[in-house]
């Protein structure tokens, strides 16, 4: 399959281009590569020299491409190449998406309109797997950490809100009048600047070190200044001040459920999610912002997710579980020496992110994959033999 690239402003100019061997820098930012059948930007199937959209193929032959009982392609598989912070955003539950989609359809809002919130009827839980070091914001810190930050940086507005649940705290930030929000933002940025002058941030420190109280505030000060440079005057910076900040090492994963506020800050990652493009944004973006709609889908409890590593299934084969027991991601690493055996089951997409790998099925047909090339597997299990030097990720719905 050939997979489309999304040219969002926060993307890098080199990561995806380097993966696929294209000239660097790219002509425009390249933020995401999508593998899937989402109608907004489906992959293209190439078979015997004939090309067709995966979305069209699924619609024409659902019994071939969809798992039993499914009415749509069950996942969207991505590579994220993050050069600048993404928007502050929340994804709805399936029930909320059904209601929101129906309401916007009834109101006659075009599905591709920039101000459309619900582009489909799906939920969008997601799990991100770090390819490089990845920095993310997700959920709201516990009250004791909020009080610690408020005291260290002398942030009265944060101290007053520290006892609120996550949804109530975010609503209180957006309910404040413009003058109060501007004042709180000015105080927060000034405090971050003063702290950073005395405590320079070292992004190469280990995540464990960064979780020490002082380091936590140093990382926060760096974040506030980063966001203020990119989005000056945006009260989303106040929300980010209250959010859990996580640093994933390569190979670690983190899950974001529906209703949890989050934003990705930097790094390269593979991401698996349900096949939805429903996003409620509340700031830190030039895209459409709908604070009120975002507030309606927030959940009250938003703890930091645990950072998880994969299970080693065999040498070179590491599997990541997800929120859905039928959905997994497997990382396949080849060193150019020994071939690797891998059983491909269900509906699976194999995506190359590094090197060059030859994939041979039980039918003896070999496919050579280079960076961002992919293969789609459907039907009965296939025992694959992989040779070469590189890395593949396999998203599977079984």
């Amino acid at each position: 399959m050939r997979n489309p690239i999304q040219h969002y402003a926060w993307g890098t100019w080199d990561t995806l281009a380097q993966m696929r061997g294209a000239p660097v820098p790219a002509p425009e930012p390249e933020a995401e590569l999508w593998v899937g059948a989402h109608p907004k930007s489906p992959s293209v199937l190439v078979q015997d020299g004939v090309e067709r959209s995966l979305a069209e193929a699924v619609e024409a032959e659902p019994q071939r491409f969809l798992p039993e009982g499914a009415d749509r392609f069950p996942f969207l598989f991505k590579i994220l190449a993050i050069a600048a912070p993404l928007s502050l955003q929340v994804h709805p539950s399936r029930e909320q998406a059904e209601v929101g989609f129906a309401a916007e359809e009834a109101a006659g809002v075009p599905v591709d309109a920039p101000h459309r919130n619900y582009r489909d009827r799906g939920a969008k839980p997601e799990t991100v797997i770090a390819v490089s070091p990845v920095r993310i914001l997700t959920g709201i810190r516990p009250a004791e950490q909020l009080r610690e930050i408020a005291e260290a940086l002398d942030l009265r507005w944060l101290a007053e809100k520290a006892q609120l649940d996550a949804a109530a705290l975010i609503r209180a930030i957006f309910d404040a009048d413009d003058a109060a929000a501007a004042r709180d933002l000015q105080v927060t940025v000034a405090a971050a600047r003063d702290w950073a002058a005395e405590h320079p941030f070292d992004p190469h420190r280990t995540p464990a070190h960064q979780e020490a109280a002082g380091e936590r505030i140093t990382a926060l000060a760096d974040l506030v200044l980063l966001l203020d440079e990119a989005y000056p005057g945006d009260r989303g910076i106040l929300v980010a001040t209250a959010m859990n900040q996580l640093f994933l090492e390569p190979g670690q994963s983190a899950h974001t459920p529906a209703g949890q506020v989050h934003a990705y800050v930097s790094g390269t990652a593979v991401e698996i999610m349900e096949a939805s493009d429903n996003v409620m944004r509340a700031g830190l973006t030039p895209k459409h912002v709908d604070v009120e709609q975002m507030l309606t889908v927030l959940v009250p409890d938003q703890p930091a997710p645990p950072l998880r590593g994969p299970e080693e299934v065999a040498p070179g084969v590491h599997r990541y579980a997800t929120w859905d027991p039928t959905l997994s991601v497997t990382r396949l690493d080849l060193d150019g020496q020994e071939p690797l055996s891998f059983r491909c089951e269900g509906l699976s997409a194999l995506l190359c992110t590094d090197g060059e790998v030859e994939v041979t099925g039980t039918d003896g047909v070999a496919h050579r994959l280079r960076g961002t090339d992919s293969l789609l597997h459907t039907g009965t299990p296939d025992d694959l033999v992989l040779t070469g030097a590189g890395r593949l990720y396999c998203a599977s719905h079984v």
Side-chain angles (χ1 to χ4, degrees):
M1 290 190 297
R2 289 191 292 103
N3 306 298
I5 290 173
Q6 312 303 319
H7 300 281
Y8 305 141
W10 51 263
T12 69
W13 295 76
D14 57 358
T15 304
L16 293 174
Q18 287 175 340
M19 281 187 183
R20 66 182 188 277
V24 173
E28 55 186 320
E30 298 181 335
E32 298 182 353
L33 180 136
W34 286 20
V35 182
H38 194 283
K40 173 186 172 182
S41 195
S43 297
V44 175
L45 284 173
V46 183
Q47 193 170 26
D48 299 325
V50 178
E51 297 187 359
R52 63 171 172 165
S53 156
L54 180 56
E56 293 174 356
V58 169
E59 185 176 2
E61 301 178 81
Q63 71 285 353
R64 177 183 177 188
F65 291 99
L66 297 183
E68 185 176 353
D71 59 359
R72 61 178 186 153
F73 204 81
F75 61 80
L76 183 58
F77 201 27
K78 295 183 179 182
I79 303 174
L80 308 180
I82 309 160
L86 281 70
S87 60
L88 199 66
Q89 59 185 252
V90 183
H91 305 306
S93 68
R94 182 172 297 278
E95 295 75 15
Q96 291 166 335
E98 290 277 1
V99 172
F101 182 85
E104 289 188 327
E105 287 289 283
V109 182
V111 74
D112 59 351
H115 62 286
R116 176 102 182 204
N117 290 313
Y118 296 92
R119 301 182 185 276
D120 51 66
R121 294 182 174 86
K124 196 182 177 185
E126 57 193 39
T127 293
V128 65
I129 301 168
V131 174
S132 73
V134 171
R135 186 178 188 180
I136 69 174
L137 303 175
T138 180
I140 299 298
R141 297 176 189 267
E144 61 269 20
Q145 285 190 23
L146 295 177
R147 286 192 293 266
E148 169 194 293
I149 292 166
E151 181 177 352
L153 299 181
D154 194 21
L155 302 180
R156 182 179 300 176
W157 70 267
L158 185 58
E160 293 171 349
K161 297 174 176 62
Q163 289 301 119
L164 299 176
D165 67 42
L169 184 149
I170 295 169
R171 178 173 286 279
I173 289 172
F174 284 108
D175 280 349
D177 62 54
D178 289 344
R183 187 167 55 249
D184 293 342
L185 190 54
Q186 183 179 24
V187 168
T188 302
V189 172
R193 189 172 291 115
D194 290 344
W195 184 277
E198 297 292 329
H199 308 85
F201 174 66
D202 180 359
H204 302 295
R205 287 183 182 271
T206 65
H209 198 141
Q210 287 161 342
E211 274 305 297
E215 290 297 326
R216 212 163 31 225
I217 296 169
T218 298
L220 171 61
D222 177 77
L223 173 73
V224 169
L225 296 180
L226 177 70
L227 296 178
D228 181 62
E229 181 179 356
Y231 304 105
D234 192 319
R235 72 174 75 191
I237 297 171
L238 299 178
V239 179
T241 301
M243 292 175 68
N244 299 296
Q245 184 172 194
L246 305 181
F247 295 84
L248 281 67
E249 296 180 313
Q252 289 186 313
S253 69
H255 174 59
T256 300
Q260 179 139 323
V261 64
H262 61 286
Y264 297 153
V265 179
S266 62
T268 304
V270 169
E271 187 178 42
I272 184 74
M273 62 181 62
E274 287 196 28
S276 171
D277 196 35
N278 289 329
V279 182
M280 277 78 252
R281 300 179 185 90
L284 309 181
T285 180
K287 293 183 179 181
H288 172 63
V289 169
D290 189 334
V291 172
E292 195 55 43
Q293 188 60 227
M294 187 273 284
L295 292 171
T296 66
V297 301
L298 286 172
V299 296
D301 187 26
Q302 300 194 21
L307 302 185
R308 302 188 187 278
E311 172 195 3
E312 183 174 13
V313 179
V317 181
H318 295 81
R319 182 165 295 143
Y320 295 86
T322 73
W323 67 94
D324 181 345
T326 68
L327 191 62
S328 65
V329 175
T330 304
R331 191 183 74 220
L332 305 165
D333 294 303
L334 293 99
D335 60 7
Q337 303 298 316
E338 296 295 321
L340 191 65
S341 297
F342 176 66
R343 169 158 277 212
C344 201
E345 299 181 275
L347 175 63
S348 296
L350 289 127
L351 172 64
C352 183
T353 60
D354 187 39
E356 185 173 311
V357 178
E358 187 170 272
V359 181
T360 305
T362 52
D363 58 4
V365 177
H367 302 272
R368 190 174 297 275
L369 300 183
R370 299 179 179 86
T372 75
D373 289 342
S374 64
L375 286 174
L376 184 67
H377 170 271
T378 62
T380 57
D382 199 355
D383 292 311
L384 306 179
V385 177
L386 285 63
T387 58
R391 171 172 288 178
L392 305 180
Y393 289 88
C394 180
S396 298
H397 185 282
V398 179

